[in-house]
Amino acid sequence: MKTLSRLTALALSATLAVSAVPVAAQDTAPHAASHAGPAPAEAPARARNVILFLADAGGVPTLSAASLMAYGEPLRLHVQSWPHLGLSETSPVDEFVSDSANGMSAIVTGVKTRNGVISQGPEAVRGRTDGAPTKSLLEYAEQHGLLTGVVTNMAITDATPAANYAHSNDRAKWGEIFPQAFAPRFGDGVDVLFGAGRERIGEQLAARGSGFDALAAAHDRPIYAALDAAPAANPRPVVVAEDMDVHAATLRALDILQRSQTGYFLVVEWDAHTDEPRRGLQNVVDFDRLIAEVQTRVDLEDTLLLFTADHSFALQVDGGRRGEPLLEGYDAWKATGSEDEIVRLQNVIVNDTHTAEEVPVLAIGVGADRVRGYFPNTHLFGVMMDAWGWTADAAAN
C-alpha cells in the first residue's frame, strides 16, 4: 500500500506540473520532438576473435566430392550447414588462374598481386623486384594487441601460411621468408607458429649462413622439431616439424590463444589438392571435422569463423550412384603408379592443375552476414576487418 500510494502521488504531481505549463510551451513540445529523428541504430556486434580456415585448392567441386566420398550423400560436411555463403573470385592482377601466393595474399591483405608474390603489391616482379609490403590481417591483429597464430600441414614457409607474416617477391625464397616471423613489423610477431617443412627450410637457412639454432638464439625463442617437444608452459611456441598433425596443432594453438584478454586471430590451413584424389578428399573431410570441433570450443557471440580456399582445382564428379563408392577404380589406378596429369576413375576425373572458377566462402558468427553473393577475394579482408570494427591504414593497402 505504501508503494501504491507513492506511485499515485508521483503521477498526480506530474499531471499538475504539465497542466501548469503555458499552452504555447505545451504546443511546441511535440513539434520539437518531430525534428529529433529516429533513435540511433544499435551499434553492430564486434568480434574479439577471428578464425580463418583455408582449404588449399578446396573449390566447390572438391567440397562436393568430399561429402560424397565420406558420407555417400551431398551436403553432409559441417561447413555446408553454415548459414552464410558467397563465391570468391581468385584471379591475380594479370592472369585468370591464381596460385596460393596471390590467392592468400589477396585474402589477408585486401590487395591482389601476381602469382608467386607474398603480400607485396602488384608492382612486384617475381624473383626480381620487390613491391610495397601490404599489411596483413595478422599484422593488424598484432598492432591491436591480439594474440595470433598460424597452423598448417604444409611447410610453414609455403605461400599460404607465409602470406600472413612475411613479404617476399618470390614464394620460393624460404630462407628469406622464415626469419621474418622473428622480425615483425608490428607487435611482437606471430605468437603460435606450427607447420612442416623442417628439412627444406633448414637447407635454405643454411645457404644464407643461418639455421634454426642461430635464429632461436638470436631471438631467445626456441624452434622445436615436434609438437610434443614444445613445453605446455611456453606461451609463444614455434614448431617446425617434418610433418604436422593439424588437428592436434590447432587445438593446442586454440588453448593458448584463448587465454588472451584482448582476443585472437588464428589461421589454419589444410591442403586439399586432389591430384591424389583419396588423400585430398580425406583431408577435406578431416578438416571439416576439426572445424566442427573448434566451433564447439568458441562463442559465436564474439567470434567469426570463416572457411574458404585460395584457388580452385580441376576435379569433376561425372558419375556415381548412391550406395556405391565414389572413388571406384582408385586402387587399380594407384597400382599402376601412373604419374599422368589426368586421373581417370570411374566416377571422377582430375586434371592436375589450378582453375579459375570462384571458390566457396562459408561463415558463421559475428560479422558472417557480410558473406553473400559473388565478390573478389579481397572482400574477405574487409569482412574480417569489419568484424573487429577496424579501419585499414590508408597507405598500408
Side-chain angles (χ1 to χ4, degrees), residues 143-229:
Q143 185 179 41
H144 282 82
L146 275 62
L147 293 184
T148 59
V150 178
V151 175
T152 178
N153 76 313
M154 303 298 288
I156 198 63
T157 48
D158 205 13
T160 301
N164 295 281
Y165 67 83
H167 307 269
S168 176
N169 65 33
D170 192 342
R171 60 180 289 175
K173 295 180 178 178
W174 287 8
E176 171 191 294
I177 289 170
F178 184 65
Q180 293 184 51
F182 301 86
R185 302 193 306 154
F186 302 92
D188 58 1
V190 58
D191 295 289
V192 179
L193 200 62
F194 294 157
R198 187 174 186 89
E199 182 178 356
R200 186 176 163 197
I201 297 169
E203 291 171 353
Q204 290 211 22
L205 289 174
R208 294 171 59 88
S210 183
F212 293 117
D213 291 342
L215 275 174
H219 298 282
D220 192 24
R221 195 171 181 190
I223 303 170
Y224 302 101
L227 190 63
D228 58 7

Side-chain angles (χ1 to χ4, degrees), residues 31-314:
H31 181 71
S34 69
H35 288 279
E42 185 176 342
R46 299 300 185 194
R48 291 183 72 255
N49 319 304
V50 172
I51 304 179
L52 171 60
F53 299 104
L54 196 291
D56 192 343
V60 171
T62 300
L63 289 192
S64 175
S67 179
L68 296 178
M69 184 195 75
Y71 304 108
E73 293 286 343
L75 303 180
R76 293 297 178 88
L77 297 181
H78 177 76
V79 293
Q80 290 174 318
S81 71
W82 285 0
H84 300 284
L85 167 67
L87 289 168
S88 174
E89 186 278 321
T90 65
S91 67
V93 294
D94 55 344
E95 302 178 58
F96 294 132
V97 180
S98 184
D99 76 341
S100 294
N102 163 72
M104 189 61 165
S105 295
I107 291 169
V108 299
T109 72
V111 179
K112 285 180 178 284
T113 186
R114 299 177 190 273
N115 285 340
V117 174
I118 301 290
S119 294
Q120 290 186 349
E123 68 277 13
V125 178
R126 183 175 182 177
R128 297 198 317 229
T129 306
D130 279 333
T134 46
K135 191 172 178 181
S136 72
L137 289 163
L138 188 144
E139 290 179 317
Y140 277 102
E142 283 289 327
Q143 185 179 41
H144 282 82
L146 275 62
L147 293 184
T148 59
V150 178
V151 175
T152 178
N153 76 313
M154 303 298 288
I156 198 63
T157 48
D158 205 13
T160 301
N164 295 281
Y165 67 83
H167 307 269
S168 176
N169 65 33
D170 192 342
R171 60 180 289 175
K173 295 180 178 178
W174 287 8
E176 171 191 294
I177 289 170
F178 184 65
Q180 293 184 51
F182 301 86
R185 302 193 306 154
F186 302 92
D188 58 1
V190 58
D191 295 289
V192 179
L193 200 62
F194 294 157
R198 187 174 186 89
E199 182 178 356
R200 186 176 163 197
I201 297 169
E203 291 171 353
Q204 290 211 22
L205 289 174
R208 294 171 59 88
S210 183
F212 293 117
D213 291 342
L215 275 174
H219 298 282
D220 192 24
R221 195 171 181 190
I223 303 170
Y224 302 101
L227 190 63
D228 58 7
N234 185 338
R236 306 187 71 234
V238 177
V239 178
V240 183
E242 201 51 47
D243 297 293
M244 182 56 62
D245 179 342
V246 182
H247 181 274
T250 299
L251 299 184
R252 173 82 177 270
L254 195 60
D255 285 343
I256 294 170
L257 299 180
Q258 286 184 321
R259 301 170 193 164
S260 173
Q261 298 299 308
T262 54
Y264 60 83
F265 177 52
L266 174 61
V267 178
V268 183
E269 178 202 19
W270 205 325
D271 181 41
H273 285 82
T274 50
D275 48 319
E276 210 290 6
R278 179 174 290 170
R279 181 187 63 212
L281 295 180
Q282 189 61 51
N283 281 351
V284 174
V285 173
D286 292 341
F287 197 13
D288 182 67
R289 289 169 178 163
L290 168 63
I291 292 169
E293 185 172 354
V294 168
Q295 185 174 332
T296 67
R297 297 180 178 223
V298 303
D299 183 353
L300 295 178
E301 294 294 324
D302 67 6
T303 303
L304 169 64
L305 304 182
L306 192 150
F307 172 93
T308 191
D310 45 0
H311 57 78
S312 194
F313 199 75

